[in-house]
Amino acid sequence: MRLLGRVRSVIGRLSLTRQVALLSLLPMIALGLILGRVLQTQLVDRTLSDATRSARIIARVGVQPELNPRNLATGLSKTEIATLDRIVTQPAVGRELARIKVWNAHDTVVYSESHALIGRRLQPSDDLEAALSGHPLGAQLVDPRKHSETASEVGLGELIEVYVPLRFKAGGAPAGVFEIYLSYRPVAAAVAGDKRTIALLLAIGLALLWAVLYRIVGRASRRLRRQAAENYELARHDGLTGLPNRTLFNEEVARAVGRAQRRGEAVAVLLIDLERFSAINNTLGDASGDEVLREVARRLQGGADGALVARVGGDEYALLCPNVGTTDAALALAGRVLAGLETPLLLEGVALDVEASVGLAVLGEHADDPAVLVQRADLALARARSHGSPVEVYSPGLERSDAPRLKLLGQVRSALAAGEFVLHYQPKVDLQDRRITGVEALVRWQHPELGLLAPDRFIELIEQTSLIGPLALDVIDQALRQIAAWRRRGIVLEVAVNLSARNLADPDLPDRIARLLLTHDVAAEQLVVEITESAAMADPDRGVRLLEALRRMGVGVAIDDFGTGNASFEYISELPATELKIDRSFVTEIATRARDRAIVRSTIDLARNLGLTVVAEGIESEETLECLAAEGCQMGQGFLFARPLPAEELTPLLAAAFGLGGAELRSGSGAVFGPGEARSVAGRAAAPAR
Ligand code: C2E
Ligand code: MG
Ligand code: MG
């Protein structure tokens, strides 16, 4: 059992071809032995039946004519014996014949070439009796031995014994029997020769068969190995570009990190995402999309500086850079990669701009583990995407996507469908006459388990996904519906909605907004979109183009949270804006902080020079309001007037401010918020959802 186990394990370690060779050798040898044996038996049988025929010929043709019933009963005369002697010693007969005995029916030898046997009467053997009864047994091989029936043949060597009944009348009982012994030696020599030839032929045949089998198996096994290698390659490469895919990339990162850590080398991972690739696919077709992907692959390989380039997703590529060990070097490489993509791509004569975002992480600086390194580059890429920035480096601040946040993100789609995103509205007030001219729509998530969630709990999260598009449209849709509803009650207001950087990357947004305006029958002039400086700067050209399209429609554009980003005045002057909203961090303490007051003053100057309306955010007190009014700020927003409120709660306040007892419209475009009213509104406002 143990031996069998050991043999099995040894065989198991051999190559497939060798296993087949070895295992087929055993049945081959067995087959050879069996075939050899069968052929040998047939050979001997054939020899014996040949001997029987020879014996019969000798008996019937040579000897029997000299016999008759009479001399058989009484014995042969000397002359007859001499005649027979002549016949049986003829060279043609004598060569084979070793002994002949002619028996009569009384068990007496009447003739033998060994004259000493003539006239002897012996105890008949079974074979003799069978032959005398007319049923001789077949020829057989005998080795004569003393004290046996063949005692008289001792010394003649191995013999073939044949009994031939002697009949003088056809069909009658035998009158005697020929007992003929043929010498086996020449036959044995011929048989041995035949056996050798057969064995040789068999061995050669089987060896050839085995060799052919070995070759076939060897070739099949090589083909299998080649196919396995091809499958391995296919499973690790992208069919379209021929680049390594995510699986191979991750394996290579693991290898490179291991090597780098052993030898103290450097590794950085850059993840690259094409922007608006689906738009290319949708507008120009899949074939063009494929061409773009191939061209990008070529360009990345051209500028990769020895890095491994992989395609790790639909429009996502990755670079494994073995010689880049610092963030600065990785940033430089990212710059070169992006520069390589800058030249427009020519597709059927059309020049196409391909834009990309890069997220990067460096081994040692950002991660020590290959999987974490890739994951962190991915986080940086998500950041670049959501902020529309060309390159982002990993930083621990990006790690906030913990489980509860991810869970929340997973619920966004169904929340949109279930209408869980609701709007609160905060009035925008003209600071000179305290008229409400509009409201800002601020989204909240009425979460079934977590209650009312403020935007800072989910906006940044959703901004990292394409769901920010549907969310913006949902907000605009609700806001316009509300504006139309208020207008029906005689409350005519502007509404401002907030857009994220990613919304500006959607070239269809102006069309979608136009359709919503049409649906709710609201004039474009009644809608304002608010964009933060950084959102507008994420992709300046594209952002500006989109805002210009909105402006052409008549939609207002406000620069939100002004002062918190680092956009230059020069850049701001190029934005097609209509409004500048000073961030509340400069406003709330303006009465006591000279620095804030100076900043607000110069901002107001700037806005005036650019022809923009200035809105101060975060007005919480009368003093602040007075300061702002003194500086010439036109508009304001803040808890002093009202916190953001659901439409049902804001409507009575608006109705009162518009001086509407019922549903009637008072002439004029706005309603007046007296100081008392303002306080009363603010006082009655709900606690902010935070
Ligand atoms: P934001 O556009 O600057 O909105 C003004 C924020 O300031 C609101 O916070 C509002 O509640 C708060 N605020 C107003 N007056 C005062 C005040 O007197 N004092 C103080 N301390 N705060 C005041 P909220 O509603 O939590 O919104 C936060 C931010 O979330 C918004 O800032 C905006 O950037 C974003 N957001 C809100 N709704 C949307 C939306 O529909 N889409 C997008 N993309 N972002 C939104
Ligand atoms: Mg805003
Ligand atoms: Mg703001």
Side-chain angles (χ1 to χ4, degrees):
M1 243 8 207
R2 247 221 215 124
L3 183 71
L4 200 67
R6 197 163 318 148
V7 168
R8 255 197 214 141
S9 92
V10 169
I11 291 179
R13 265 181 265 136
L14 295 175
S15 73
L16 180 65
T17 316
R18 297 225 164 104
Q19 280 187 31
V20 173
L22 196 67
L23 293 175
S24 63
L25 198 59
L26 298 178
M28 221 50 125
I29 291 173
L31 183 67
L33 290 176
I34 292 169
L35 266 178
R37 191 106 215 126
V38 169
L39 286 174
Q40 186 187 344
T41 314
Q42 281 190 351
L43 208 62
V44 171
D45 285 352
R46 176 97 34 88
T47 309
L48 292 179
S49 78
D50 281 353
T52 310
R53 212 171 310 130
S54 302
R56 274 196 203 125
I57 291 169
I58 291 170
R60 300 238 166 87
V61 181
V63 182
Q64 192 167 340
E66 301 306 319
L67 300 173
N68 52 55
R70 187 189 49 81
N71 63 9
L72 201 62
T74 58
L76 301 183
S77 67
K78 279 206 170 119
T79 335
E80 284 166 333
I81 290 174
T83 308
L84 281 180
D85 282 348
R86 238 184 358 265
I87 290 170
V88 298
T89 51
Q90 271 174 24
V93 179
R95 217 181 302 126
E96 274 186 81
L97 191 69
R99 168 114 326 145
I100 180 163
K101 295 177 206 165
V102 181
W103 299 82
N104 68 13
H106 310 292
D107 307 330
T108 306
V109 177
V110 292
Y111 173 76
S112 172
E113 94 297 345
S114 168
H115 291 183
L117 296 172
I118 297 176
R120 280 179 59 178
R121 187 162 187 263
L122 294 170
Q123 182 67 27
S125 67
D126 293 347
D127 295 353
L128 182 62
E129 281 199 336
L132 278 172
S133 69
H135 303 289
L137 301 174
Q140 48 188 311
L141 271 178
V142 290
D143 200 0
R145 248 173 269 149
K146 282 183 184 157
H147 312 296
S148 80
E149 176 211 348
T150 53
S152 57
E153 281 76 51
V154 170
L156 295 179
E158 215 178 347
L159 300 171
I160 304 171
E161 181 193 53
V162 186
Y163 287 89
V164 182
L166 170 57
R167 284 190 183 89
F168 294 110
K169 243 193 296 161
V177 163
F178 296 98
E179 184 184 354
I180 293 174
Y181 289 91
L182 300 174
S183 171
Y184 183 61
R185 204 173 297 131
V187 178
V191 167
D194 283 356
K195 258 166 50 179
R196 268 197 302 278
T197 312
I198 285 174
L200 191 68
L201 287 177
L202 249 180
I204 292 174
L206 288 178
L208 277 175
L209 187 64
W210 184 76
V212 169
L213 198 73
Y214 186 85
R215 266 186 76 91
I216 291 174
V217 172
R219 207 176 302 158
S221 146
R222 273 196 299 283
R223 191 176 307 156
L224 277 178
R225 270 204 302 274
R226 208 171 38 239
Q227 256 166 20
E230 276 170 20
N231 287 345
Y232 181 90
E233 282 290 292
L234 280 180
R236 277 163 176 73
H237 283 85
D238 163 44
L240 183 68
T241 60
L243 293 179
N245 63 13
R246 187 179 281 282
T247 311
L248 182 53
F249 182 75
N250 287 341
E251 287 172 2
E252 291 293 336
V253 171
R255 260 195 288 275
V257 165
R259 208 169 35 232
Q261 282 168 343
R262 275 195 309 278
R263 304 186 191 159
E265 290 171 355
V267 175
V269 166
L270 269 66
L271 295 181
I272 301 153
D273 179 64
L274 301 187
E275 282 176 34
R276 287 179 303 138
F277 177 71
S278 54
I280 295 178
N281 242 359
N282 293 343
T283 49
L284 299 180
D286 289 350
S288 299
D290 288 354
E291 194 39 47
V292 170
L293 291 173
R294 275 193 289 262
E295 177 59 20
V296 169
R298 278 191 287 272
R299 290 192 187 181
L300 289 178
Q301 280 178 305
D305 285 350
L308 174 84
V309 181
R311 181 172 169 226
V312 293
D315 59 351
E316 226 180 287
Y317 297 81
L319 259 59
L320 168 64
C321 320
N323 301 316
V324 176
T326 62
T327 299
D328 285 346
L331 277 170
L333 178 61
R336 287 198 295 281
V337 163
L338 288 173
L341 296 178
E342 248 164 32
T343 322
L345 209 137
L346 274 181
L347 260 193
E348 293 166 16
V350 181
L352 210 73
D353 279 320
V354 177
E355 285 160 45
S357 314
V358 180
L360 65 89
V362 179
L363 183 70
E365 260 182 65
H366 304 129
D368 295 318
D369 172 272
V372 177
L373 184 67
V374 175
Q375 185 201 329
R376 295 196 161 163
D378 213 12
L379 270 177
L381 179 63
R383 167 81 170 193
R385 266 199 226 114
S386 66
H387 285 62
S389 49
V391 187
E392 288 283 346
V393 180
Y394 167 79
S395 72
L398 302 178
E399 286 288 359
R400 289 200 303 156
S401 48
D402 47 8
R405 280 163 58 85
L406 284 180
K407 185 172 173 207
L408 209 56
L409 195 54
Q411 296 167 335
V412 172
R413 201 180 291 276
S414 56
L416 270 169
E420 287 172 18
F421 291 101
V422 296
L423 297 185
H424 284 191
Y425 298 90
Q426 185 178 38
K428 276 165 117 175
V429 178
D430 185 324
L431 299 188
Q432 304 304 318
D433 53 15
R434 302 193 179 210
R435 271 184 317 135
I436 302 176
T437 57
V439 288
E440 179 176 2
L442 294 156
V443 73
R444 276 96 182 87
W445 184 346
Q446 187 62 63
H447 195 280
E449 291 149 29
L450 304 173
L452 193 66
L453 300 181
D456 61 357
R457 289 281 299 278
F458 57 88
I459 286 292
E460 221 184 286
L461 204 63
I462 302 178
E463 273 175 346
Q464 290 172 26
T465 75
S466 59
L467 287 172
I468 194 69
L471 177 66
L473 291 173
D474 185 37
V475 166
I476 297 171
D477 185 42
Q478 290 189 49
L480 294 180
R481 175 172 295 125
Q482 186 57 53
I483 284 299
W486 277 327
R487 189 189 53 203
R488 282 195 294 278
R489 296 200 49 183
I491 301 164
V492 180
L493 292 171
E494 261 180 27
V495 66
V497 294
N498 294 278
L499 292 184
S500 302
R502 209 172 164 135
N503 295 135
L504 298 188
D506 174 11
D508 295 336
L509 188 68
D511 282 350
R512 296 186 210 270
I513 291 181
R515 272 198 292 278
L516 288 173
L517 286 167
L518 216 64
T519 307
H520 297 290
D521 190 23
V522 173
E525 288 70 19
Q526 276 181 277
L527 180 66
V528 176
V529 294
E530 296 192 3
I531 313 288
T532 61
E533 296 163 67
S534 46
M537 281 196 15
D539 182 353
D541 293 344
R542 199 168 340 143
V544 168
R545 276 200 299 278
L546 190 127
L547 294 177
E548 274 169 349
L550 290 174
R551 277 303 300 129
R552 278 196 297 277
M553 285 162 53
V555 174
V557 172
I559 301 169
D560 205 355
D561 301 348
F562 184 75
T564 54
N566 42 17
S568 66
F569 280 178
E570 207 177 321
Y571 174 68
I572 292 294
S573 68
E574 281 168 18
L575 282 179
T578 50
E579 237 175 68
L580 195 71
K581 297 184 77 175
I582 307 177
D583 191 69
R584 65 168 182 267
S585 57
F586 305 101
V587 173
T588 314
E589 309 285 329
I590 192 173
T592 51
R593 283 199 207 156
R595 195 189 69 112
D596 285 0
R597 192 162 182 154
I599 290 173
V600 169
R601 185 179 300 139
S602 62
T603 306
I604 291 171
D605 273 353
L606 164 81
R608 244 198 229 123
N609 287 336
L610 295 175
L612 305 177
T613 308
V614 189
V615 184
E617 298 179 323
I619 306 174
E620 294 181 357
S621 67
E622 279 297 335
E623 297 80 64
T624 307
L625 176 61
E626 273 160 27
C627 274
L628 288 165
E631 293 300 339
C633 182
Q634 298 137 297
M635 306 280 303
Q637 210 178 321
F639 294 168
L640 173 67
F641 306 114
R643 287 172 185 265
L645 292 172
E648 318 81 79
E649 287 181 41
L650 188 61
T651 304
L653 307 182
L654 289 174
F658 273 72
L660 300 171
E664 253 174 87
L665 171 66
R666 203 183 75 172
S667 63
S669 61
V672 181
F673 250 149
E677 282 170 302
R679 237 174 264 118
S680 74
V681 169
R684 276 198 274 158
R690 287 224 172 246

